[in-house]
Amino acid sequence: MQLNPLLEPIALQPHLSIDELEMRYRQAKVPAERSQLQIVWLVAQGKSTEEAASITGYNPQWVYQLICRYNQLGSEKFIDKRHKNLALHFIRLLTQVNASSTINDDFVQEGFFSELRANSTYLTLL
């Protein structure tokens, strides 16, 4: 009989203690980072990936992949870095500018927003 890895507790590398994981999870401000830390914290407590997925609402396979990434990369490098992605902020800004029919004059400096509008079609194709 072959065991299902999603139903069995997966061993975590001892990058952080359970208490450190809980503290980081509770202090996390970015939602994606908070969710990932919660998952690792739950698995560190002995929950299976299936149980952690059920508690957090994620797919068990994704939870398993997250734990494998945590084990491989360590506590600092596995965390989601999307909120630090400058290109993503630029695209969000373009979306806001395109959606707005008027822009506050305080923000229009050196033609920045007109340049954003001019290039927004090109950037949305990327």
Side-chain angles (χ1 to χ4, degrees):
M1 181 171 115
Q2 186 176 357
L3 296 176
N4 183 345
L6 299 179
L7 297 176
E8 296 297 318
I10 184 171
L12 287 179
Q13 296 297 318
H15 300 299
L16 296 171
S17 71
I18 293 175
D19 292 337
E20 289 170 322
L21 282 168
E22 179 183 15
M23 181 185 70
R24 288 190 184 193
Y25 152 61
R26 295 196 186 282
Q27 291 177 349
K29 302 281 188 249
V30 178
E33 182 177 329
R34 183 177 172 87
S35 295
Q36 291 177 5
L37 286 166
Q38 180 187 22
I39 289 167
V40 175
W41 175 57
L42 290 168
V43 172
Q45 295 176 54
K47 305 256 189 264
S48 69
T49 55
E50 183 78 32
E51 291 171 312
S54 176
I55 291 167
T56 60
Y58 287 96
N59 181 301
Q61 188 64 38
W62 186 85
V63 170
Y64 186 81
Q65 291 171 354
L66 177 73
I67 298 304
C68 290
R69 194 170 80 220
Y70 174 84
N71 282 340
Q72 181 182 20
L73 299 177
S75 63
E76 299 302 323
K77 293 184 180 177
F78 97 102
I79 294 295
D80 182 74
K81 303 280 191 243
R82 287 178 291 182
H83 65 282
K84 294 182 181 179
N85 184 336
L86 294 179
L88 183 60
H89 289 295
F90 185 71
I91 290 168
R92 284 184 184 146
L93 181 59
L94 283 175
T95 304
Q96 291 171 356
V97 168
N98 285 332
S100 174
S101 59
T102 60
I103 298 174
N104 187 332
D105 289 337
D106 295 339
F107 293 111
V108 179
Q109 297 176 0
E110 301 174 18
F112 180 70
F113 282 98
S114 61
E115 185 68 25
L116 286 178
R117 277 198 178 112
N119 292 315
S120 64
T121 303
Y122 169 74
L123 288 172
T124 56
L125 296 175
L126 294 179

